[in-house]
Amino acid sequence: MSSPVRRSESRQSVATVAVGRRREGGRGRGTSASSVEASFLEMQSRAGNQATTAAVQRARGADKGKGKATDETAGGGDGANGVKKRKNYRDRIASLLDRFKKNLEPIDTWIKGAQTPANAGFTQQAAVTANEGLKHSAAASGTSAASGNLLTEAAGTVVSGMDAYKSMKDARKNGHGAEHHTANKRAKTKGTDAVVGAAGSGAYSAAIAKEVTKIQKAADAAVASEASGVASAAVAGMKSVRSVFRVGGAARKYKKVKELGDPQLVHAASLARLNESREHADWAAAEAYVALDSYWKQEGEGRLELIGEAVDAAWEAMGEARDAAEALQRAEKDVERLGTVQGYAKKKQLTKIGKETIGGALGESTKAAAGVVTAVAAGTAGLATNPVGWGLAGAGAGLVLGVTLYKALRAATKRYEEVRHPEVWAKEGETPEEAASRKESLQHALKFWKKVSKGERAAMAREIYALAAGPDIAGSGGTTEEMRQSGMSLLIALKSGPADHKLDQEAWVASLNDPSKTAGWIKEIAEQLASG
């Protein structure tokens, strides 16, 4: 990680310059903010700017090594090499922007959850006390906060747009099947994110304009504040509506999985038949051994021939008994696995419902209400000292911040576990990697820009695929037809059925039995477990 660039005095932040100007002008007026409040606001501005600079340096340094490797493999010239080089440059740009965005996200979270509500509180206090100095300090800090939000939102919008474009190309290239559905769904999701991000960037631009007009004491400050409130309310409303749709999708998926029923009850008759077959095989083996024992006690001609036939019969009966026992044991294990993956699928949907309801539907709708109050207060003098807007902004930020911190903590825990205990979710029959030390695991857990690749969700996706896959897939040859049908039903409930993949039933089943499509299927199932 490279060190942040030291800034010269000529490149101070907008917020710091504005605070300094306000102080110089305030000496003659005698209306400055208290030293504690001014120091706090100035510290907010400096911390935000320094953290943003550090994020840029980290993203640039992390991408430097990738860029060198890409240049070496890109090649030069026209034709195929030229196309490859252009693609590598595009991938490098996308990788840099994505890394840059992820480094900015912790700063953005702090701004939304702490700095912005605090600024709203100081603004409300300044309105009550008619403290112009405090008002200008809060406006300077607000400019810094909105600038940080705009930078993160704009970077995320570009990344989402590039990802949506790439996913659309992948979906068109595949045409149908699991890989087509995964790419098509991702294209729609990222496309929506890009649209919402563009609207959010506009709202943050309006917020910057609002704070600047306050700093400059512009005559149109009320108009800018009203426009900012409307834009903020509109964007928060869009995010709230999107969360409502996500909650609805997750609820429908949960209902479909629940309708599949308890595997123990659904497969009770099948298990009973297998158990009956095992008992019959055991009786047949016992009878064969009794016959063999009786032939050993007989005397006369043909005794050895009878004993040989009895031995063959006993051997065959024992083999059938062993096969029947193994079939029953495998079926019982598959029923248990099916119950586990169905429970996990329902848990994932309930978790998504909770996160989207609290952080999206409630949190964003509260922020939308705060934006409406801001817009109304801007044109109504009587509402200028109303603390409702401040309270709503703080409540909305608190809900969103709480969900964000929960997600961050969960992700850090999973990153820690995947390197500290790699054997827990390792593939069946695969030798797990060597466990990392506690210190290395903690360092890996703090790498918030990395996704969890060897966690519970990937393991559950492999289990579901193994249950639904055909006999040509390794490890799925002994699965009963009833169990395979249940696995397929679970895939349909998770929105990975024939209609979703643009395939007829026969082609869809054939794709499950194609070893070359295994990786695409597992990726598809993992995506569907996480999405609504």
Side-chain angles (χ1 to χ4, degrees):
M1 181 185 298
S2 58
S3 302
V5 176
R6 296 184 176 275
R7 294 172 178 258
S8 62
E9 291 298 327
S10 62
R11 298 190 60 184
Q12 295 177 354
S13 67
V14 175
T16 305
V17 173
V19 171
R21 290 177 179 174
R22 191 267 307 158
R23 284 178 175 173
E24 292 175 3
R27 289 172 185 169
R29 296 188 302 271
T31 57
S32 63
S34 67
S35 59
V36 176
E37 293 166 342
S39 299
F40 176 75
L41 292 168
E42 185 175 354
M43 178 183 66
Q44 283 185 326
S45 300
R46 288 182 177 178
N49 290 327
Q50 290 175 1
T52 303
T53 302
V56 174
Q57 294 297 321
R58 286 198 299 269
R60 185 179 298 165
D63 191 70
K64 188 176 181 181
K66 296 180 180 178
K68 290 181 178 179
T70 307
D71 283 340
E72 293 174 358
T73 58
D78 298 328
N81 288 336
V83 173
K84 184 177 180 182
K85 188 172 183 178
R86 287 196 297 273
K87 288 183 178 180
N88 284 334
Y89 274 122
R90 185 182 62 196
D91 292 342
R92 286 175 57 188
I93 293 171
S95 175
L96 175 62
L97 286 173
D98 186 56
R99 185 66 176 268
F100 177 59
K101 170 182 171 290
K102 289 178 179 177
N103 277 283
L104 285 175
E105 283 176 350
I107 308 169
D108 186 68
T109 299
W110 179 82
I111 291 174
K112 291 178 179 177
Q115 186 174 355
T116 299
N119 289 339
F122 284 126
T123 301
Q124 194 268 335
Q125 183 180 353
V128 172
T129 60
N131 189 332
E132 290 296 322
L134 179 59
K135 177 181 178 181
H136 291 169
S137 296
S141 181
T143 303
S144 174
S147 299
N149 292 142
L150 175 60
L151 186 61
T152 305
E153 196 75 41
T157 300
V158 176
V159 171
S160 296
M162 295 179 71
D163 201 352
Y165 176 73
K166 183 177 183 299
S167 297
M168 282 192 296
K169 290 184 64 177
D170 292 341
R172 286 196 299 265
K173 181 178 69 175
N174 291 298
H176 55 264
E179 294 180 350
H180 163 79
H181 185 244
T182 302
N184 190 51
K185 186 177 180 66
R186 184 172 181 83
K188 292 178 180 178
T189 301
K190 291 300 180 180
T192 303
D193 290 344
V195 172
V196 174
S201 298
Y204 289 130
S205 298
I208 294 174
K210 177 188 70 174
E211 301 298 343
V212 170
T213 56
K214 290 181 181 179
I215 294 174
Q216 297 176 349
K217 292 186 176 182
D220 56 353
V223 176
S225 181
E226 185 175 359
S228 175
V230 171
S232 176
V235 173
M238 290 173 61
K239 293 181 178 180
S240 178
V241 171
R242 181 180 58 173
S243 294
V244 170
F245 279 109
R246 288 177 174 176
V247 168
R252 287 190 295 272
K253 187 176 287 188
Y254 173 83
K255 182 180 179 181
K256 289 181 179 179
V257 175
K258 188 176 181 181
E259 288 174 352
L260 296 177
D262 184 355
Q264 292 288 348
L265 299 177
V266 172
H267 292 277
S270 176
L271 292 176
R273 288 195 301 271
L274 290 173
N275 186 55
E276 185 178 355
S277 298
R278 180 189 62 82
E279 291 177 349
H280 289 166
D282 287 342
W283 275 109
E287 291 174 354
Y289 272 97
V290 169
L292 176 61
D293 185 61
S294 66
Y295 291 143
W296 274 108
K297 296 177 181 179
Q298 291 181 5
E299 295 182 359
E301 297 181 1
R303 174 174 175 267
L304 294 179
E305 184 178 352
L306 292 174
I307 290 175
E309 294 176 355
V311 168
D312 291 340
W315 184 263
E316 183 179 355
M318 282 300 298
E320 292 178 354
R322 183 180 62 253
D323 292 342
E326 289 178 354
L328 177 60
Q329 185 178 10
R330 172 64 184 265
E332 290 175 339
K333 182 180 178 181
D334 284 347
V335 168
E336 184 178 352
R337 293 165 66 192
L338 181 61
T340 300
V341 295
Q342 284 187 194
Y344 178 80
K346 290 187 288 187
K347 183 187 74 172
K348 288 293 291 183
Q349 299 310 309
L350 288 176
T351 302
K352 188 172 186 65
I353 290 172
K355 290 188 295 187
E356 291 293 340
T357 300
I358 296 174
L362 294 179
E364 295 296 341
S365 60
T366 304
K367 290 170 65 176
V372 172
V373 172
T374 300
V376 174
T380 309
L383 291 176
T385 60
N386 195 327
V388 174
W390 174 34
L392 289 173
L399 291 172
V400 175
L401 179 62
V403 173
T404 302
L405 292 177
Y406 169 78
K407 290 180 179 179
L409 181 61
R410 286 280 297 169
T413 303
K414 292 177 181 179
R415 284 192 295 270
Y416 177 88
E417 291 294 334
E418 75 173 339
V419 296
R420 182 62 175 167
H421 302 289
E423 73 283 355
V424 176
W425 306 116
K427 295 180 181 178
E428 189 175 353
E430 181 182 68
T431 302
E433 298 179 0
E434 184 178 354
S437 64
R438 185 181 297 274
K439 179 180 179 181
E440 292 172 337
S441 300
L442 288 172
Q443 290 174 343
H444 183 72
L446 295 177
K447 295 178 180 178
F448 51 85
W449 57 88
K450 287 192 173 182
K451 293 183 178 180
V452 180
S453 59
K454 299 178 181 179
E456 185 179 13
R457 180 155 60 98
M460 292 298 164
R462 292 195 299 269
E463 292 287 340
I464 294 173
Y465 176 70
L467 290 170
D472 292 342
I473 304 301
S476 299
T479 304
T480 63
E481 186 59 31
E482 292 88 347
M483 184 57 60
R484 188 167 288 122
Q485 290 297 326
S486 292
M488 293 179 184
S489 297
L490 179 56
L491 288 179
I492 294 173
L494 292 174
K495 297 182 180 179
S496 293
D500 301 300
H501 291 179
K502 296 184 178 180
L503 294 171
D504 56 35
Q505 181 72 20
E506 185 177 352
W508 182 71
V509 173
S511 71
L512 283 167
N513 197 34
D514 187 349
S516 65
K517 299 184 182 299
T518 297
W521 262 111
I522 293 175
K523 182 179 179 181
E524 157 80 351
I525 297 169
E527 290 286 339
Q528 294 305 316
L529 284 171
S531 69

